[in-house]
Amino acid sequence: MFRTAARNQFFLIRFVKDVPVWEHFDGHALHPAEPPGSSRSLPILALVPDRLFFFYQPESDHHFGNFRQRTAAARLELEQLFPDRTPEYAPSIVHNTGGTHLLGCFSHPELAEFFQRHQAVLAQANAVTTASFLAWSAGHRRHQANWLWSNPEDGITAAMFDGRMTYFPGKATELSARRSAAENGAVARKKNTDAVKEWRLPELLQAAPEIGWSQLRLPLPAATTGASTTRRLVRWWVALMILGGLICGGQFLRLSTHQTQAEHWEQATNQRYAEVLAPPLGADPFGRLLFRHSQLQRPIQSGPDILAILGLLSTSAPPEFHVENFSLGPNSGIIRARLASYEQLESLLNALEGHDRLRFNLEQATSTDDAILATLRVSY
């Protein structure tokens, strides 16, 4: 039997016709009680109606493997068996002490409204559970393979036959059918079936402290009252302000770093301009640098080579050839000369043809009494 020491005493909250009823459990029996004050010394257990939860034992509960693997397999099995469950009513996985057995836990749509109505009361409890889940946990703790719990308040029956959980609205005919099926299966497997333990509430309450308050807690909806909604919005606002401050601070640091780098690069660029261009640099030193570069890219042009021109004329002209004057420009020059005849002029022009750098053209030729005056243009 369970121990009933003083530490097994606690307050119990039950809901009779949706009205919270406070009781004191002394380790043996229940006694009416008033809600404890803020300086309470005993823990509080809240038993919500069984109809607000539905429990299903997955096949993976009987498989081998570590706890994480069996939990993942159970969740996958429940999602396949109940595919139309919306996210807010998706199955949860609950387990007994030590994680040796698993149950799929579904909340009823009425649970959220029930929780809102009794939130102030439920918030005081160390654990919120149902009597059927307490029976399942107590059965595994006492190694009771066959047990039965009928909730007289909402007509829900939970039973364990040959180690398998069954959960249904309490009807005598259905209970008899399920019990007979379990017994026949045990006979077919040639296995002895222990007597069915019919739980009473005081026996379940004796097991609660040893199971542990944290182990008895069932998943409840989040609070959505006006005050909690406001607190949640304030928390979100504070979180967003902190996040925005961190983002702005990070951007300011990045901008400061980039501005320092830009100033360093600008000083280095001006130093390079000063090394190439004569001061002052002006408003557009880069434009001046491009202009200088274009000048340096032009082909080098040399001025006229006077000696080369005179030497070529000297070697090509007849003996009577005499240069009277010449003038040279940047690209061409004019030579005025005297010859004895047109034959000598023609012979001179023929001799000057085909030169690589210098090109001679006759611009004018006039005759006098004793000579021919010719004007030649030389291009270079």
Side-chain angles (χ1 to χ4, degrees), residues 60-73 98-102:
S60 54
D61 182 50
H62 305 284
H63 295 172
F64 294 100
N66 60 42
F67 177 70
R68 180 178 297 180
Q69 292 172 339
R70 292 192 299 116
T71 300
T100 54
H101 294 279
L102 303 172

Side-chain angles (χ1 to χ4, degrees), residues 56-59 76-85 106:
Y56 179 85
Q57 184 177 22
E59 289 297 326
L76 180 61
E77 179 182 347
L78 294 175
E79 290 176 353
Q80 292 176 345
L81 289 175
F82 306 94
D84 297 331
R85 303 288 294 188
F106 298 86

Side-chain angles (χ1 to χ4, degrees), residues 255-274:
L255 179 61
S256 177
T257 302
H258 291 168
Q259 186 174 1
T260 303
Q261 292 179 348
E263 292 176 354
H264 173 73
W265 292 338
E266 185 177 1
Q267 293 176 359
T269 303
N270 290 335
Q271 184 178 356
R272 290 291 181 266
Y273 284 148

Side-chain angles (χ1 to χ4, degrees), residues 157 168-178:
T157 298
F168 56 93
K171 293 182 180 180
T173 55
E174 184 173 357
L175 175 60
S176 177
R178 296 195 184 202

Side-chain angles (χ1 to χ4, degrees), residues 157-363:
T157 298
M160 179 78 76
F161 296 129
D162 195 19
R164 292 186 176 273
M165 175 79 168
T166 183
Y167 188 83
F168 56 93
K171 293 182 180 180
T173 55
E174 184 173 357
L175 175 60
S176 177
R178 296 195 184 202
R179 191 167 183 171
S180 298
E183 292 175 351
N184 294 336
V187 172
R189 293 192 300 272
K190 297 180 180 181
K191 182 177 179 180
N192 294 327
T193 303
D194 296 333
V196 177
K197 169 66 176 179
E198 294 191 14
W199 290 111
R200 296 293 180 263
L201 184 58
E203 294 177 299
L204 295 179
L205 296 179
Q206 289 175 1
E210 297 186 9
I211 296 171
W213 307 119
S214 61
Q215 192 61 51
L216 292 175
R217 296 184 187 127
L218 293 177
L220 295 176
T224 57
T225 60
S228 61
T229 302
T230 303
R231 288 194 297 270
R232 186 167 62 251
L233 291 177
V234 170
R235 287 196 297 269
W236 274 104
W237 182 81
V238 172
L240 289 176
M241 289 295 293
I242 294 174
L243 180 61
L246 292 176
I247 294 175
C248 292
Q251 293 297 325
F252 175 77
L253 291 178
R254 291 181 59 187
L255 179 61
S256 177
T257 302
H258 291 168
Q259 186 174 1
T260 303
Q261 292 179 348
E263 292 176 354
H264 173 73
W265 292 338
E266 185 177 1
Q267 293 176 359
T269 303
N270 290 335
Q271 184 178 356
R272 290 291 181 266
Y273 284 148
E275 293 175 358
V276 178
L277 303 175
L281 297 179
D284 187 17
F286 183 67
R288 289 183 58 191
L289 190 62
L290 290 178
F291 177 72
R292 287 287 301 275
H293 180 265
S294 64
Q295 286 184 325
L296 295 176
Q297 291 296 104
R298 293 177 181 176
I300 300 175
Q301 297 180 351
S302 61
D305 190 347
I306 300 175
L307 295 179
I309 296 173
L310 294 177
L312 181 58
L313 288 174
S314 176
T315 56
S316 302
E320 292 84 359
F321 178 78
H322 176 70
V323 176
E324 292 189 344
N325 60 60
F326 66 88
S327 61
L328 300 178
N331 298 315
S332 63
I334 300 298
I335 302 173
R336 290 182 176 84
R338 182 184 294 273
L339 295 95
S341 63
Y342 282 108
E343 288 77 8
Q344 290 184 355
L345 177 59
E346 185 176 357
S347 177
L348 174 63
L349 294 175
N350 292 333
L352 294 174
E353 289 183 357
H355 195 274
D356 292 337
R357 289 189 56 196
L358 301 175
R359 186 171 64 255
F360 293 86
N361 294 312
L362 177 63
E363 287 199 347

